[in-house]
């Protein structure tokens, strides 16, 4: 399912739970429409978008976690494939964008923080860090959040990085993709590209 990766050397990936707005963000970043659905799990295989003149692409990976109407074994299979894709291409991934829903992420993390259970978002964040992939957490749908700073500080706390969030602006990017408000994310991605001496790719963000 994940084997038809375009032949591009460098990549930025979007990953995260189902229904957090990855495909909408992908559209904002590329100016190209991908199938988005009101129900979770519409994207079942990676959507890559590349530019003919550059050896680079942006990839929207399928969402993981709960999807209504999708059997658990299929959900687990998708998550495994996402993890394996990232592992396989870790050396080519310049930046990973972990997209979360600003309105519900804290509740979801806390609900899945039982004994011996690591929530998907936290697990993915640490997994990307273990692979040494520069990671930006795009906290989407912030237009629906009232207690913005408190919510972002709580997220830092859950991810194991010390609040206040404002000291992590290369890592935590509050956005509203649907309204085209993604500048904090672009800034953070450009920071990581600069650090890797890839100024040539900053024009995409």
């Amino acid at each position: 399912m994940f084997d038809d990766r375009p032949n591009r050397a460098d990549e930025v990936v979007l990953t995260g739970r189902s229904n957090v707005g990855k495909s909408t963000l992908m559209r904002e970043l590329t100016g190209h429409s991908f199938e988005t659905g009101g129900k979770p799990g519409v994207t079942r295989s990676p959507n890559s978008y590349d530019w003919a003149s550059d050896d680079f692409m942006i990839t929207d990976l399928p969402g993981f976690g709960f999807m209504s109407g999708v059997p658990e074994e299929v959900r687990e299979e998708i998550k495994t494939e996402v993890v394996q894709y990232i592992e396989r291409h870790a050396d080519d991934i310049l930046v990973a964008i972990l997209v979360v829903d600003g309105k519900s992420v804290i509740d979801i993390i806390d609900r899945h923080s039982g004994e011996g259970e690591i929530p998907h978002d936290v697990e993915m964040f640490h997994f990307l860090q273990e692979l040494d992939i520069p990671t930006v957490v795009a906290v989407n749908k912030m237009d629906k959040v009232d207690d913005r700073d408190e919510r972002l500080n709580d997220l830092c706390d859950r991810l194991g990085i010390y609040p206040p969030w404002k000291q992590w602006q290369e890592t935590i990017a509050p956005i509203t993709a649907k309204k085209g408000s993604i500048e904090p994310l672009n800034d953070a991605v450009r920071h990581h590209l600069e650090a890797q001496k890839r100024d040539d790719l900053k024009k995409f963000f």
Side-chain angles (χ1 to χ4, degrees):
M1 180 165 75
F2 280 25
D3 294 337
D4 53 349
R5 181 182 184 269
N7 184 20
R8 289 286 182 264
D10 297 313
E11 183 175 15
V12 166
V13 298
L14 275 67
T15 185
R17 286 178 179 278
S18 298
N19 233 23
V20 292
K22 289 191 308 301
S23 300
T24 305
L25 178 56
M26 182 75 166
R27 190 177 62 223
E28 275 304 314
L29 289 169
T30 63
H32 183 79
S33 266
F34 293 86
E35 188 184 350
T36 60
K39 63 176 195 286
V42 169
T43 308
R44 291 285 178 90
S45 58
N47 278 321
S48 295
Y49 188 77
D50 59 4
W51 289 264
S53 59
D54 292 87
D55 201 5
F56 169 72
M57 65 180 178
I58 299 180
T59 302
D60 175 20
L61 293 170
F64 51 76
F66 176 75
M67 300 169 224
S68 59
V70 178
E72 187 169 348
E73 61 271 21
V74 176
R75 298 201 301 259
E76 281 305 311
E77 195 181 306
I78 290 171
K79 188 175 176 218
T80 301
E81 297 230 12
V82 167
V83 163
Q84 288 173 348
Y85 180 96
I86 292 170
E87 274 182 326
R88 207 162 48 239
H89 302 295
D91 291 345
D92 304 317
I93 298 172
L94 299 170
V95 184
I97 299 169
L98 173 59
V99 187
V100 300
D101 181 330
K103 195 169 189 305
S104 62
V105 64
I106 303 299
D107 294 341
I108 289 171
I109 289 174
D110 289 353
R111 199 181 317 140
H112 294 279
S113 294
E115 188 67 37
E117 191 178 7
I118 302 173
H120 289 323
D121 303 292
V122 176
E123 188 181 24
M124 181 58 80
F125 180 71
H126 291 299
F127 169 67
L128 292 164
Q129 290 197 314
E130 276 164 28
L131 291 174
D132 279 333
I133 297 173
T135 303
V136 181
V137 182
V139 192
N140 195 20
K141 308 185 186 181
M142 286 303 288
D143 58 324
K144 300 191 165 95
V145 174
D146 301 328
D147 50 348
R148 180 188 166 95
D149 286 343
E150 191 183 328
R151 185 71 53 94
L152 294 170
N153 288 341
D154 285 348
L155 179 59
C156 285
D157 184 56
R158 304 304 190 274
L159 293 174
I161 57 180
Y162 294 107
W165 75 272
K166 284 188 175 158
Q167 66 184 341
W168 298 102
Q169 292 189 41
E170 294 87 44
T171 306
I172 303 288
I175 63 168
T176 302
K178 211 173 210 171
K179 298 189 173 175
S181 172
I182 62 168
E183 203 47 45
L185 172 64
N186 286 337
D187 288 345
V189 172
R190 285 196 295 260
H191 166 86
H192 291 298
L193 292 174
E194 216 167 83
Q196 295 171 77
K197 307 207 171 1
R198 293 309 305 269
D199 290 30
D200 56 311
L201 299 177
K202 282 161 60 178
K203 62 189 176 192
F204 296 115
F205 296 93

PDB file of all heavy atoms in Angstrom, residues 162-190:
ATOM      1  N   TYR A 162       9.212  21.303  28.637  1.00  0.00           N
ATOM      2  CA  TYR A 162       8.802  22.225  29.698  1.00  0.00           C
ATOM      3  C   TYR A 162       8.065  23.443  29.168  1.00  0.00           C
ATOM      4  O   TYR A 162       8.567  24.124  28.289  1.00  0.00           O
ATOM      5  CB  TYR A 162      10.019  22.692  30.495  1.00  0.00           C
ATOM      6  CG  TYR A 162      10.672  21.586  31.264  1.00  0.00           C
ATOM      7  CD1 TYR A 162      11.891  21.069  30.846  1.00  0.00           C
ATOM      8  CD2 TYR A 162      10.051  21.033  32.388  1.00  0.00           C
ATOM      9  CE1 TYR A 162      12.491  20.023  31.549  1.00  0.00           C
ATOM     10  CE2 TYR A 162      10.645  19.998  33.088  1.00  0.00           C
ATOM     11  CZ  TYR A 162      11.867  19.489  32.664  1.00  0.00           C
ATOM     12  OH  TYR A 162      12.443  18.452  33.345  1.00  0.00           O
ATOM     13  N   PRO A 163       6.858  23.714  29.708  1.00  0.00           N
ATOM     14  CA  PRO A 163       6.197  24.980  29.390  1.00  0.00           C
ATOM     15  C   PRO A 163       7.065  26.126  29.934  1.00  0.00           C
ATOM     16  O   PRO A 163       7.931  25.865  30.764  1.00  0.00           O
ATOM     17  CB  PRO A 163       4.865  24.900  30.134  1.00  0.00           C
ATOM     18  CG  PRO A 163       4.780  23.533  30.735  1.00  0.00           C
ATOM     19  CD  PRO A 163       6.134  22.906  30.676  1.00  0.00           C
ATOM     20  N   PRO A 164       6.859  27.381  29.524  1.00  0.00           N
ATOM     21  CA  PRO A 164       5.818  27.822  28.589  1.00  0.00           C
ATOM     22  C   PRO A 164       6.126  27.470  27.130  1.00  0.00           C
ATOM     23  O   PRO A 164       7.284  27.376  26.742  1.00  0.00           O
ATOM     24  CB  PRO A 164       5.807  29.345  28.788  1.00  0.00           C
ATOM     25  CG  PRO A 164       7.202  29.671  29.227  1.00  0.00           C
ATOM     26  CD  PRO A 164       7.660  28.505  30.046  1.00  0.00           C
ATOM     27  N   TRP A 165       5.053  27.305  26.374  1.00  0.00           N
ATOM     28  CA  TRP A 165       5.184  26.873  24.979  1.00  0.00           C
ATOM     29  C   TRP A 165       5.968  27.877  24.140  1.00  0.00           C
ATOM     30  O   TRP A 165       6.608  27.496  23.162  1.00  0.00           O
ATOM     31  CB  TRP A 165       3.792  26.639  24.363  1.00  0.00           C
ATOM     32  CG  TRP A 165       3.040  27.897  24.021  1.00  0.00           C
ATOM     33  CD1 TRP A 165       2.232  28.606  24.837  1.00  0.00           C
ATOM     34  CD2 TRP A 165       3.045  28.569  22.758  1.00  0.00           C
ATOM     35  NE1 TRP A 165       1.715  29.696  24.181  1.00  0.00           N
ATOM     36  CE2 TRP A 165       2.197  29.698  22.895  1.00  0.00           C
ATOM     37  CE3 TRP A 165       3.659  28.346  21.529  1.00  0.00           C
ATOM     38  CZ2 TRP A 165       1.960  30.591  21.852  1.00  0.00           C
ATOM     39  CZ3 TRP A 165       3.425  29.234  20.488  1.00  0.00           C
ATOM     40  CH2 TRP A 165       2.586  30.342  20.652  1.00  0.00           C
ATOM     41  N   LYS A 166       5.940  29.152  24.541  1.00  0.00           N
ATOM     42  CA  LYS A 166       6.559  30.178  23.697  1.00  0.00           C
ATOM     43  C   LYS A 166       8.058  30.005  23.552  1.00  0.00           C
ATOM     44  O   LYS A 166       8.653  30.541  22.628  1.00  0.00           O
ATOM     45  CB  LYS A 166       6.214  31.578  24.228  1.00  0.00           C
ATOM     46  CG  LYS A 166       4.784  31.938  23.858  1.00  0.00           C
ATOM     47  CD  LYS A 166       4.424  33.365  24.162  1.00  0.00           C
ATOM     48  CE  LYS A 166       3.021  33.651  23.635  1.00  0.00           C
ATOM     49  NZ  LYS A 166       2.382  34.770  24.268  1.00  0.00           N
ATOM     50  N   GLN A 167       8.667  29.213  24.433  1.00  0.00           N
ATOM     51  CA  GLN A 167      10.104  28.971  24.248  1.00  0.00           C
ATOM     52  C   GLN A 167      10.357  27.813  23.267  1.00  0.00           C
ATOM     53  O   GLN A 167      11.498  27.463  22.995  1.00  0.00           O
ATOM     54  CB  GLN A 167      10.778  28.700  25.590  1.00  0.00           C
ATOM     55  CG  GLN A 167      10.329  27.418  26.264  1.00  0.00           C
ATOM     56  CD  GLN A 167      10.956  27.241  27.628  1.00  0.00           C
ATOM     57  OE1 GLN A 167      11.961  27.862  27.932  1.00  0.00           O
ATOM     58  NE2 GLN A 167      10.365  26.379  28.450  1.00  0.00           N
ATOM     59  N   TRP A 168       9.282  27.247  22.749  1.00  0.00           N
ATOM     60  CA  TRP A 168       9.404  26.102  21.838  1.00  0.00           C
ATOM     61  C   TRP A 168       8.811  26.425  20.468  1.00  0.00           C
ATOM     62  O   TRP A 168       8.145  25.592  19.873  1.00  0.00           O
ATOM     63  CB  TRP A 168       8.684  24.882  22.425  1.00  0.00           C
ATOM     64  CG  TRP A 168       9.251  24.425  23.719  1.00  0.00           C
ATOM     65  CD1 TRP A 168       8.747  24.651  24.965  1.00  0.00           C
ATOM     66  CD2 TRP A 168      10.438  23.650  23.920  1.00  0.00           C
ATOM     67  NE1 TRP A 168       9.535  24.083  25.927  1.00  0.00           N
ATOM     68  CE2 TRP A 168      10.583  23.452  25.316  1.00  0.00           C
ATOM     69  CE3 TRP A 168      11.386  23.104  23.053  1.00  0.00           C
ATOM     70  CZ2 TRP A 168      11.648  22.729  25.863  1.00  0.00           C
ATOM     71  CZ3 TRP A 168      12.442  22.382  23.605  1.00  0.00           C
ATOM     72  CH2 TRP A 168      12.564  22.204  24.986  1.00  0.00           C
ATOM     73  N   GLN A 169       9.011  27.626  19.977  1.00  0.00           N
ATOM     74  CA  GLN A 169       8.326  27.992  18.739  1.00  0.00           C
ATOM     75  C   GLN A 169       8.866  27.283  17.493  1.00  0.00           C
ATOM     76  O   GLN A 169       8.262  27.353  16.432  1.00  0.00           O
ATOM     77  CB  GLN A 169       8.308  29.515  18.573  1.00  0.00           C
ATOM     78  CG  GLN A 169       7.399  30.120  19.644  1.00  0.00           C
ATOM     79  CD  GLN A 169       7.111  31.585  19.472  1.00  0.00           C
ATOM     80  OE1 GLN A 169       6.878  32.069  18.378  1.00  0.00           O
ATOM     81  NE2 GLN A 169       7.129  32.316  20.566  1.00  0.00           N
ATOM     82  N   GLU A 170       9.999  26.588  17.639  1.00  0.00           N
ATOM     83  CA  GLU A 170      10.446  25.736  16.515  1.00  0.00           C
ATOM     84  C   GLU A 170       9.767  24.373  16.594  1.00  0.00           C
ATOM     85  O   GLU A 170       9.885  23.569  15.689  1.00  0.00           O
ATOM     86  CB  GLU A 170      11.965  25.494  16.551  1.00  0.00           C
ATOM     87  CG  GLU A 170      12.815  26.712  16.336  1.00  0.00           C
ATOM     88  CD  GLU A 170      13.077  27.462  17.644  1.00  0.00           C
ATOM     89  OE1 GLU A 170      13.382  26.804  18.653  1.00  0.00           O
ATOM     90  OE2 GLU A 170      12.969  28.696  17.633  1.00  0.00           O
ATOM     91  N   THR A 171       9.078  24.105  17.718  1.00  0.00           N
ATOM     92  CA  THR A 171       8.463  22.785  17.942  1.00  0.00           C
ATOM     93  C   THR A 171       6.948  22.857  17.998  1.00  0.00           C
ATOM     94  O   THR A 171       6.260  21.960  17.505  1.00  0.00           O
ATOM     95  CB  THR A 171       8.997  22.171  19.262  1.00  0.00           C
ATOM     96  OG1 THR A 171      10.423  22.154  19.210  1.00  0.00           O
ATOM     97  CG2 THR A 171       8.488  20.759  19.467  1.00  0.00           C
ATOM     98  N   ILE A 172       6.407  23.900  18.604  1.00  0.00           N
ATOM     99  CA  ILE A 172       4.950  24.030  18.783  1.00  0.00           C
ATOM    100  C   ILE A 172       4.460  25.171  17.889  1.00  0.00           C
ATOM    101  O   ILE A 172       4.874  26.321  18.065  1.00  0.00           O
ATOM    102  CB  ILE A 172       4.605  24.335  20.256  1.00  0.00           C
ATOM    103  CG1 ILE A 172       5.160  23.253  21.205  1.00  0.00           C
ATOM    104  CG2 ILE A 172       3.092  24.497  20.436  1.00  0.00           C
ATOM    105  CD1 ILE A 172       4.461  21.922  21.150  1.00  0.00           C
ATOM    106  N   ALA A 173       3.575  24.841  16.939  1.00  0.00           N
ATOM    107  CA  ALA A 173       3.092  25.854  15.992  1.00  0.00           C
ATOM    108  C   ALA A 173       1.568  25.889  15.993  1.00  0.00           C
ATOM    109  O   ALA A 173       0.915  25.009  15.418  1.00  0.00           O
ATOM    110  CB  ALA A 173       3.607  25.536  14.582  1.00  0.00           C
ATOM    111  N   PRO A 174       0.952  26.884  16.655  1.00  0.00           N
ATOM    112  CA  PRO A 174      -0.509  27.003  16.648  1.00  0.00           C
ATOM    113  C   PRO A 174      -1.000  27.511  15.296  1.00  0.00           C
ATOM    114  O   PRO A 174      -0.532  28.554  14.827  1.00  0.00           O
ATOM    115  CB  PRO A 174      -0.801  28.014  17.755  1.00  0.00           C
ATOM    116  CG  PRO A 174       0.492  28.694  18.061  1.00  0.00           C
ATOM    117  CD  PRO A 174       1.604  27.907  17.472  1.00  0.00           C
ATOM    118  N   ILE A 175      -1.912  26.782  14.656  1.00  0.00           N
ATOM    119  CA  ILE A 175      -2.381  27.146  13.313  1.00  0.00           C
ATOM    120  C   ILE A 175      -3.891  26.940  13.185  1.00  0.00           C
ATOM    121  O   ILE A 175      -4.510  26.278  14.020  1.00  0.00           O
ATOM    122  CB  ILE A 175      -1.679  26.303  12.208  1.00  0.00           C
ATOM    123  CG1 ILE A 175      -2.020  24.801  12.363  1.00  0.00           C
ATOM    124  CG2 ILE A 175      -0.176  26.512  12.233  1.00  0.00           C
ATOM    125  CD1 ILE A 175      -1.626  23.953  11.178  1.00  0.00           C
ATOM    126  N   THR A 176      -4.470  27.497  12.132  1.00  0.00           N
ATOM    127  CA  THR A 176      -5.840  27.165  11.722  1.00  0.00           C
ATOM    128  C   THR A 176      -5.789  26.968  10.212  1.00  0.00           C
ATOM    129  O   THR A 176      -5.900  27.919   9.439  1.00  0.00           O
ATOM    130  CB  THR A 176      -6.828  28.289  12.104  1.00  0.00           C
ATOM    131  OG1 THR A 176      -6.765  28.502  13.524  1.00  0.00           O
ATOM    132  CG2 THR A 176      -8.256  27.919  11.725  1.00  0.00           C
ATOM    133  N   ALA A 177      -5.567  25.723   9.799  1.00  0.00           N
ATOM    134  CA  ALA A 177      -5.322  25.420   8.383  1.00  0.00           C
ATOM    135  C   ALA A 177      -6.496  25.836   7.500  1.00  0.00           C
ATOM    136  O   ALA A 177      -6.317  26.364   6.406  1.00  0.00           O
ATOM    137  CB  ALA A 177      -5.024  23.931   8.212  1.00  0.00           C
ATOM    138  N   LYS A 178      -7.707  25.607   8.000  1.00  0.00           N
ATOM    139  CA  LYS A 178      -8.897  25.892   7.192  1.00  0.00           C
ATOM    140  C   LYS A 178      -8.985  27.361   6.810  1.00  0.00           C
ATOM    141  O   LYS A 178      -9.522  27.713   5.771  1.00  0.00           O
ATOM    142  CB  LYS A 178     -10.136  25.485   7.993  1.00  0.00           C
ATOM    143  CG  LYS A 178     -11.277  25.009   7.124  1.00  0.00           C
ATOM    144  CD  LYS A 178     -12.386  24.456   7.999  1.00  0.00           C
ATOM    145  CE  LYS A 178     -13.126  23.361   7.241  1.00  0.00           C
ATOM    146  NZ  LYS A 178     -14.060  22.642   8.075  1.00  0.00           N
ATOM    147  N   LYS A 179      -8.444  28.235   7.660  1.00  0.00           N
ATOM    148  CA  LYS A 179      -8.488  29.670   7.385  1.00  0.00           C
ATOM    149  C   LYS A 179      -7.171  30.184   6.798  1.00  0.00           C
ATOM    150  O   LYS A 179      -6.951  31.379   6.694  1.00  0.00           O
ATOM    151  CB  LYS A 179      -8.820  30.435   8.678  1.00  0.00           C
ATOM    152  CG  LYS A 179     -10.197  30.060   9.216  1.00  0.00           C
ATOM    153  CD  LYS A 179     -10.626  30.953  10.352  1.00  0.00           C
ATOM    154  CE  LYS A 179     -12.072  30.646  10.737  1.00  0.00           C
ATOM    155  NZ  LYS A 179     -12.509  31.384  11.910  1.00  0.00           N
ATOM    156  N   GLY A 180      -6.277  29.248   6.463  1.00  0.00           N
ATOM    157  CA  GLY A 180      -5.008  29.650   5.853  1.00  0.00           C
ATOM    158  C   GLY A 180      -4.051  30.298   6.827  1.00  0.00           C
ATOM    159  O   GLY A 180      -3.080  30.933   6.423  1.00  0.00           O
ATOM    160  N   SER A 181      -4.310  30.122   8.115  1.00  0.00           N
ATOM    161  CA  SER A 181      -3.463  30.749   9.124  1.00  0.00           C
ATOM    162  C   SER A 181      -2.389  29.756   9.583  1.00  0.00           C
ATOM    163  O   SER A 181      -2.562  29.056  10.581  1.00  0.00           O
ATOM    164  CB  SER A 181      -4.356  31.180  10.291  1.00  0.00           C
ATOM    165  OG  SER A 181      -3.597  31.624  11.364  1.00  0.00           O
ATOM    166  N   ILE A 182      -1.291  29.656   8.809  1.00  0.00           N
ATOM    167  CA  ILE A 182      -0.278  28.629   9.104  1.00  0.00           C
ATOM    168  C   ILE A 182       1.141  29.205   9.229  1.00  0.00           C
ATOM    169  O   ILE A 182       2.116  28.463   9.198  1.00  0.00           O
ATOM    170  CB  ILE A 182      -0.298  27.502   8.036  1.00  0.00           C
ATOM    171  CG1 ILE A 182       0.047  28.042   6.645  1.00  0.00           C
ATOM    172  CG2 ILE A 182      -1.633  26.783   8.016  1.00  0.00           C
ATOM    173  CD1 ILE A 182       0.326  26.943   5.623  1.00  0.00           C
ATOM    174  N   GLU A 183       1.238  30.524   9.378  1.00  0.00           N
ATOM    175  CA  GLU A 183       2.566  31.160   9.405  1.00  0.00           C
ATOM    176  C   GLU A 183       3.486  30.623  10.515  1.00  0.00           C
ATOM    177  O   GLU A 183       4.671  30.387  10.268  1.00  0.00           O
ATOM    178  CB  GLU A 183       2.406  32.686   9.524  1.00  0.00           C
ATOM    179  CG  GLU A 183       3.605  33.467   9.027  1.00  0.00           C
ATOM    180  CD  GLU A 183       4.149  33.030   7.665  1.00  0.00           C
ATOM    181  OE1 GLU A 183       3.364  32.809   6.711  1.00  0.00           O
ATOM    182  OE2 GLU A 183       5.377  32.877   7.553  1.00  0.00           O
ATOM    183  N   PRO A 184       2.975  30.363  11.756  1.00  0.00           N
ATOM    184  CA  PRO A 184       3.874  29.811  12.780  1.00  0.00           C
ATOM    185  C   PRO A 184       4.496  28.475  12.347  1.00  0.00           C
ATOM    186  O   PRO A 184       5.646  28.180  12.677  1.00  0.00           O
ATOM    187  CB  PRO A 184       2.962  29.626  14.001  1.00  0.00           C
ATOM    188  CG  PRO A 184       1.858  30.633  13.789  1.00  0.00           C
ATOM    189  CD  PRO A 184       1.636  30.670  12.303  1.00  0.00           C
ATOM    190  N   LEU A 185       3.723  27.676  11.618  1.00  0.00           N
ATOM    191  CA  LEU A 185       4.244  26.402  11.121  1.00  0.00           C
ATOM    192  C   LEU A 185       5.322  26.650  10.066  1.00  0.00           C
ATOM    193  O   LEU A 185       6.398  26.041  10.097  1.00  0.00           O
ATOM    194  CB  LEU A 185       3.107  25.561  10.529  1.00  0.00           C
ATOM    195  CG  LEU A 185       3.558  24.288   9.798  1.00  0.00           C
ATOM    196  CD1 LEU A 185       4.231  23.321  10.763  1.00  0.00           C
ATOM    197  CD2 LEU A 185       2.391  23.615   9.104  1.00  0.00           C
ATOM    198  N   ASN A 186       5.034  27.533   9.113  1.00  0.00           N
ATOM    199  CA  ASN A 186       6.022  27.836   8.083  1.00  0.00           C
ATOM    200  C   ASN A 186       7.323  28.331   8.704  1.00  0.00           C
ATOM    201  O   ASN A 186       8.413  27.927   8.294  1.00  0.00           O
ATOM    202  CB  ASN A 186       5.472  28.890   7.109  1.00  0.00           C
ATOM    203  CG  ASN A 186       4.428  28.304   6.172  1.00  0.00           C
ATOM    204  OD1 ASN A 186       4.410  27.103   5.947  1.00  0.00           O
ATOM    205  ND2 ASN A 186       3.557  29.136   5.638  1.00  0.00           N
ATOM    206  N   ASP A 187       7.211  29.206   9.697  1.00  0.00           N
ATOM    207  CA  ASP A 187       8.409  29.728  10.374  1.00  0.00           C
ATOM    208  C   ASP A 187       9.222  28.597  10.996  1.00  0.00           C
ATOM    209  O   ASP A 187      10.450  28.561  10.896  1.00  0.00           O
ATOM    210  CB  ASP A 187       8.023  30.717  11.481  1.00  0.00           C
ATOM    211  CG  ASP A 187       7.524  32.048  10.921  1.00  0.00           C
ATOM    212  OD1 ASP A 187       7.745  32.315   9.718  1.00  0.00           O
ATOM    213  OD2 ASP A 187       6.896  32.816  11.686  1.00  0.00           O
ATOM    214  N   ALA A 188       8.515  27.685  11.672  1.00  0.00           N
ATOM    215  CA  ALA A 188       9.200  26.584  12.359  1.00  0.00           C
ATOM    216  C   ALA A 188       9.885  25.656  11.351  1.00  0.00           C
ATOM    217  O   ALA A 188      11.031  25.242  11.543  1.00  0.00           O
ATOM    218  CB  ALA A 188       8.200  25.797  13.208  1.00  0.00           C
ATOM    219  N   VAL A 189       9.184  25.341  10.255  1.00  0.00           N
ATOM    220  CA  VAL A 189       9.769  24.450   9.244  1.00  0.00           C
ATOM    221  C   VAL A 189      10.990  25.120   8.609  1.00  0.00           C
ATOM    222  O   VAL A 189      12.042  24.485   8.421  1.00  0.00           O
ATOM    223  CB  VAL A 189       8.723  24.067   8.170  1.00  0.00           C
ATOM    224  CG1 VAL A 189       9.388  23.301   7.022  1.00  0.00           C
ATOM    225  CG2 VAL A 189       7.612  23.210   8.789  1.00  0.00           C
ATOM    226  N   ARG A 190      10.863  26.409   8.300  1.00  0.00           N
ATOM    227  CA  ARG A 190      12.002  27.124   7.700  1.00  0.00           C
ATOM    228  C   ARG A 190      13.211  27.118   8.642  1.00  0.00           C
ATOM    229  O   ARG A 190      14.344  26.981   8.205  1.00  0.00           O
ATOM    230  CB  ARG A 190      11.595  28.561   7.350  1.00  0.00           C
ATOM    231  CG  ARG A 190      10.716  28.649   6.108  1.00  0.00           C
ATOM    232  CD  ARG A 190      10.638  30.071   5.562  1.00  0.00           C
ATOM    233  NE  ARG A 190       9.981  30.990   6.467  1.00  0.00           N
ATOM    234  CZ  ARG A 190       8.704  31.378   6.360  1.00  0.00           C
ATOM    235  NH1 ARG A 190       7.939  30.919   5.373  1.00  0.00           N
ATOM    236  NH2 ARG A 190       8.179  32.226   7.223  1.00  0.00           N
TER     237      ARG A 190
END
